[in-house]
């Protein structure tokens, strides 16, 4: 009996030792294995936020019924929205939708939307009639991409800038000149409702506003050089006769000449540029007059809608 009991104890000890060895082996292997890296998160400025169905319905309801003029031929535009600086997520989302849907609804153009720098290759740009920079910030184009964009416009194509499109090209003077100015702050914050005047109420590109000034809740920029009225036609400016708007200019405005332009057009070589600083958030693209103004500006940049861009002080 003692022998059998000893045998059983001995066998049990061997089994337990083997089990412990397996456990120790697995634990050691787990310790030697490098920890799994957490899944990389996409940068916040790499993802356009989803707008609510209510916001989208408001944008759709505010789209123009038709274009000012039928396109001379099938048109295609590139909507580019990359940000290396501040990310106007909801402005980008609203602008992308409004621009794309306006083209579809009116037949004025077809829009491609991208944030990839590769689209600025010269052979790719050749298929477009205009490039639209929707709230881009801090763009870092290569020398080849810069030249391709310059050549694109000066050869007879169009460039459109939405809101933050002037917050680029601080180290590229030709690009800053192409757009027409550089961002120098926004004393008129996004939470305020500001007054705007039409510099020329009878100008063909401001027909959307019916010859009248207007008010809008938005974030409004002021500009520094190369901004000047010597090379462009200013269409809309801040109305400083309005108390709220004028008080901000007096307290925080940075221009001694009180020239706070909001939208302009200019000829560059054989091409055309349209810029408007309206568009900080999606609510701007829920305004029918603003959408009509943008559509007319895009048609000007494309080359279908004629408008006088002669500089006028």
């Amino acid at each position: 009996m003692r022998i059998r009991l000893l045998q059983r104890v001995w066998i049990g000890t061997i089994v337990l030792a083997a089990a412990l060895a397996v456990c120790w082996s697995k634990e050691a292997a787990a310790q030697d294995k490098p920890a799994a890296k957490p899944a990389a998160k996409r940068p916040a400025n790499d993802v356009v936020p989803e707008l609510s169905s209510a916001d989208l319905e408001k944008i759709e309801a505010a789209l123009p019924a038709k274009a000012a003029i039928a396109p001379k031929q099938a048109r295609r535009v590139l909507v580019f929205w990359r940000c290396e600086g501040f990310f106007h997520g909801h402005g980008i989302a609203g602008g992308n939708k409004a621009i794309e849907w306006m083209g579809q609804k009116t037949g004025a153009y077809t829009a491609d939307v991208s944030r990839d720098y590769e689209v600025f290759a010269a052979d790719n740009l050749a298929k477009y009639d205009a490039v639209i920079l929707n709230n881009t910030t801090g763009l870092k184009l290569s020398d080849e991409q810069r030249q391709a964009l310059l050549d694109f416009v000066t050869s007879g194509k169009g460039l459109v800038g939405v809101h933050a499109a002037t917050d680029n090209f601080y180290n590229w003077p030709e690009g800053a000149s192409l757009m027409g100015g550089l961002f120098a702050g926004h004393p008129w914050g996004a939470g305020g409702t500001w007054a705007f005047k039409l510099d020329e109420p009878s100008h063909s590109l401001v027909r959307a506003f019916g010859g009248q000034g207007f008010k809008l809740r938005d974030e409004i920029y002021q500009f520094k050089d190369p901004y000047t009225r010597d090379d462009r036609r200013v269409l809309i400016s801040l109305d400083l006769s309005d108390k709220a708007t004028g008080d901000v200019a007096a307290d925080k405005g940075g221009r001694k000449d009180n020239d706070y332009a909001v939208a302009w057009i200019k000829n560059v070589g054989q091409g055309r540029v349209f810029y408007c600083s309206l568009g900080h958030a999606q609510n701007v693209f829920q305004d029918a007059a603003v959408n009509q103004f943008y559509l007319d500006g895009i048609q000007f940049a494309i080359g279908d809608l004629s408008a006088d861009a002669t500089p006028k002080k």
Side-chain angles (χ1 to χ4, degrees):
M1 290 292 292
R2 290 183 179 178
I3 294 175
R4 289 180 180 177
L5 180 60
L6 290 173
Q7 286 177 337
R8 288 175 182 174
V9 172
W10 180 70
I11 293 173
T13 302
I14 293 175
V15 172
L16 177 61
L20 290 173
V22 171
C23 291
W24 291 335
S25 177
K26 289 182 178 180
E27 183 178 351
Q31 290 176 348
D32 292 340
K33 185 178 180 180
K37 294 182 180 179
K41 293 182 179 180
R42 296 179 70 183
N45 61 359
D46 191 25
V47 182
V48 178
E50 292 287 337
L51 297 181
S52 69
S53 58
D55 277 328
L56 293 173
E57 288 173 2
K58 290 177 182 178
I59 291 174
E60 186 173 15
L63 298 178
K66 63 178 182 179
I69 190 171
K72 298 175 182 178
Q73 60 192 54
R75 300 296 194 180
R76 195 171 201 90
V77 302
L78 171 63
V79 183
F80 192 76
W81 61 271
R82 190 182 187 105
C83 296
E84 305 291 358
F86 186 86
F87 182 55
H88 290 81
H90 289 89
I92 289 172
N96 284 354
K97 287 296 184 184
I99 293 168
E100 183 179 6
W101 287 353
M102 282 194 297
Q104 293 173 354
K105 183 176 181 179
T106 65
Y109 54 81
T110 299
D112 294 335
V113 181
S114 178
R115 69 176 299 277
D116 296 325
Y117 283 132
E118 290 75 12
V119 298
F120 287 101
D123 58 348
N124 183 65
L125 288 179
K127 65 187 179 185
Y128 295 106
D129 297 286
V131 170
I132 302 174
L133 301 181
N134 179 19
N135 273 295
T136 53
T137 57
L139 291 182
K140 298 177 181 178
L141 301 180
S142 68
D143 290 343
E144 292 78 9
Q145 291 164 343
R146 289 177 174 184
Q147 191 61 51
L149 181 58
L150 281 175
D151 292 344
F152 174 82
V153 178
T154 58
S155 67
K157 300 294 184 73
L159 178 65
V160 174
V162 179
H163 192 56
T166 47
D167 192 14
N168 301 283
F169 311 144
Y170 295 95
N171 298 313
W172 181 32
E174 294 85 357
S177 178
L178 183 66
M179 186 52 64
L182 289 173
F183 166 78
H186 43 70
W188 301 269
T193 296
W194 312 111
F196 304 89
K197 66 178 182 179
L198 308 181
D199 283 54
E200 295 178 71
S202 62
H203 194 280
S204 60
L205 277 194
V206 295
R207 69 187 183 94
F209 304 103
Q212 302 294 321
F214 61 98
K215 289 189 175 184
L216 184 70
R217 178 169 58 87
D218 202 357
E219 175 188 84
I220 305 303
Y221 289 177
Q222 61 184 2
F223 303 101
K224 61 183 179 181
D225 290 345
Y227 173 78
T228 173
R229 291 197 176 219
D230 292 338
D231 66 351
R232 90 257 344 249
R233 193 76 162 247
V234 175
L235 303 175
I236 301 175
S237 300
L238 281 170
D239 183 359
L240 302 186
S241 69
D242 174 81
K243 187 178 187 312
T245 307
D247 284 352
V248 173
D251 293 342
K252 301 178 181 179
R255 295 189 64 92
K256 294 181 179 180
D257 58 6
N258 278 332
D259 183 8
Y260 297 107
V262 171
W264 58 73
I265 55 175
K266 59 185 297 193
N267 293 320
V268 180
Q270 300 178 50
R272 297 152 301 279
V273 174
F274 167 75
Y275 171 77
C276 179
S277 69
L278 303 178
H280 172 78
Q282 74 271 25
N283 70 289
V284 177
F285 302 100
Q286 296 166 359
D287 185 287
V290 173
N291 283 341
Q292 182 68 67
F293 182 55
Y294 265 114
L295 177 59
D296 290 347
I298 292 170
Q299 284 206 288
F300 163 77
I302 287 173
D304 285 330
L305 182 58
S306 298
D308 188 359
T310 305
K312 186 176 181 180
K313 295 185 178 181

